[in-house]
Amino acid sequence: MNWNPRVATALFVVLATVGAGGCASEVQGTSVSSEIDVRALDTGKFPTTPPKIASRLDDLGYARLEAARLADAVLSPHEVEPKYSVGASARVHTDAQSVAQYLAEPAIPVLLNHGFVLGFSAGSAEDVPPLTDPTAGPRQRDGLTVTVSRFPDAAAAKAAAAELDAVDLGLNPENVAVGLPKYPDSRAHWRPAFPTLGSTTPHGNYVISVLAETRTADIDRLVDATQKYLAAEVAELDKFSATPIGKFNTLRQDPDGLLVRIIQDKGVVPAPDGQGEVVLTLRGYLNYVQDQSGRLPVLRKAGVDRIAVTPNAFGFRTADDAAAARFVTESAELGNAVDRRAVDPPADVPGAACVQDYVAPKEAQFRCFVSYRRYAALVLGSRLWETQQRAAAQYALLANESGER
């Protein structure tokens, strides 16, 4: 096989160094009985009022919103097979060129020729991120990487699926065609000396591309793992209501009023950038999480159903006030205890929790969690005092934007 899944970063943290141009603003909140006066918090230069958000986007921005919607219909392999506990990669695709990070380079003209609309990729494995270079030999782990591509109609998808497999099959004379008994329309192939299997399966307007990896070159295990995933993923696509082509501009960047509850240092919500500035469902967000087996139970327990993603802050809508407070406590305790330590939370912010993560990138070494009513937020930073100020400002923003939308 010659698939080339040069996976993106496993962490769904679109890290950005804190900008120097943050908007200083007066804290406009007022004191409420039994609550603190957020005007007294140390929020530094950070804004505490809702950021402005554009009412219109360009065509690329709307396509990214639809691709983010598709993420809700693409199952993390962890949901299908719990042992795939480590998230490996996730990315929206609004152009055929970006799909080459997950499929072979010759896939690009195939996608273009059949009218590729957009897509989404995700993957997870047993213990470490899977599926780098299939020619490298056994990696001693099981995992799957998945790309779901949308086409204008079922005929285009079926033709694209066959051609995608054909061009990849032809890249190496050692490739051998393999059948998937439960999916007669699928095309698959492998190199018998290597424990990977690539497949393309048309389903309606979609093509589901799966790259499976096992610890040993066992074709039966590879086929079983692929078919198990396909059974679940086909059912999800059947439930998904895609936005018609030409109607993407009916989508809203912040349909639930969650993005405007999350701090933006410059006081403005930028257009979707392909990784952030969007609101995801729990499933869509899970695809980007590295520690899926650890974090998914905490997210589910809190009833999280929407997640707002920005470069250095995340917002979570939970089931209720108690769930949000519990989410803060439990989230701060996730991860290997030897890789983190608790640090001081922002002064006077009720229930806040902060952690220093020794193994995180510098831009996200400090993490602070806050909650207000049913909303929780995570802010990231490279310096503790600045992260504390941002967290205090985030709490004030939640309090100032407490009305239900």
Side-chain angles (χ1 to χ4, degrees), residues 45-387:
K45 65 182 181 181
F46 299 106
T48 59
T49 53
K52 297 178 181 179
I53 188 168
S55 59
R56 303 290 298 173
L57 300 171
D58 61 16
D59 289 345
L60 178 59
Y62 285 119
R64 286 170 172 167
L65 292 184
E66 179 63 8
R69 290 187 69 246
L70 179 60
D72 181 54
V74 178
L75 286 163
S76 164
H78 175 62
E79 289 193 81
V80 179
E81 176 50 70
K83 71 179 180 180
Y84 301 145
S85 61
V86 180
S89 61
R91 181 170 179 176
V92 300
H93 303 294
T94 53
D95 61 86
Q97 286 73 18
S98 70
V99 185
Q101 292 187 332
Y102 295 84
L103 308 182
E105 198 77 20
I108 295 175
V110 176
L111 297 172
L112 292 173
N113 290 340
H114 294 286
F116 172 81
V117 178
L118 51 79
F120 185 78
S121 294
S124 59
E126 276 188 309
D127 45 17
V128 292
L131 306 170
T132 51
D133 178 5
T135 65
R139 268 62 51 88
Q140 296 300 307
R141 56 180 172 265
D142 288 7
L144 297 176
T145 295
V146 180
T147 297
V148 176
S149 304
R150 178 179 169 184
F151 293 87
D153 51 47
K158 188 172 183 178
E163 194 171 340
L164 284 169
D165 178 79
V167 297
D168 196 63
L169 177 67
L171 290 177
N172 192 302
E174 296 180 7
N175 285 336
V176 176
V178 175
L180 300 183
K182 296 180 181 179
Y183 296 92
D185 288 338
S186 295
R187 304 290 183 94
H189 62 274
W190 80 321
R191 293 172 62 191
F194 297 94
T196 57
L197 174 71
S199 65
T200 54
T201 301
H203 184 72
N205 293 3
Y206 300 93
V207 172
I208 308 167
S209 302
V210 179
L211 180 55
E213 178 181 31
T214 54
R215 291 180 178 274
T216 59
D218 185 333
I219 189 59
D220 292 334
R221 289 183 61 203
L222 289 164
V223 168
D224 288 347
T226 300
Q227 292 192 140
K228 182 177 180 180
Y229 181 84
L230 287 173
E233 178 57 23
V234 163
E236 288 303 318
L237 288 174
D238 285 343
K239 293 186 290 186
F240 179 62
S241 178
T243 305
I245 297 173
K247 297 291 186 180
F248 291 176
N249 62 1
T250 63
L251 298 173
R252 295 166 56 198
Q253 186 177 4
D254 191 20
D256 305 293
L258 185 55
L259 267 175
V260 294
R261 296 177 188 269
I262 304 307
I263 190 169
Q264 293 276 357
D265 291 355
K266 296 183 178 181
V268 176
V269 178
D273 60 11
Q275 286 286 78
E277 309 301 354
V278 294
V279 177
L280 297 171
T281 63
L282 176 56
R283 170 166 294 142
Y285 176 71
L286 177 66
N287 281 311
Y288 291 91
V289 173
Q290 186 175 39
D291 177 17
Q292 297 191 356
S293 61
R295 297 187 183 277
L296 181 57
V298 173
L299 291 159
R300 283 178 170 165
K301 184 178 179 182
V304 173
D305 66 347
R306 294 290 185 274
I307 300 94
V309 180
T310 77
N312 50 29
F314 296 80
F316 304 85
R317 189 175 73 180
T318 72
D320 52 39
D321 300 12
R326 184 173 62 245
F327 178 77
V328 165
T329 301
E330 295 183 353
S331 294
E333 295 173 350
L334 286 170
N336 193 330
V338 302
D339 294 333
R340 58 174 167 80
R341 70 181 180 100
V343 293
D344 291 337
D348 302 321
V349 175
C354 293
V355 176
Q356 182 180 10
D357 187 332
Y358 301 127
V359 298
K362 180 181 178 181
E363 297 88 345
Q365 186 174 96
F366 293 100
R367 307 194 306 265
C368 288
F369 298 86
V370 298
S371 70
Y372 185 87
R373 297 187 181 170
R374 70 179 298 196
Y375 297 96
L378 161 64
V379 297
L380 309 171
S382 59
R383 296 179 290 190
L384 177 58
W385 65 268
E386 194 170 50
T387 310

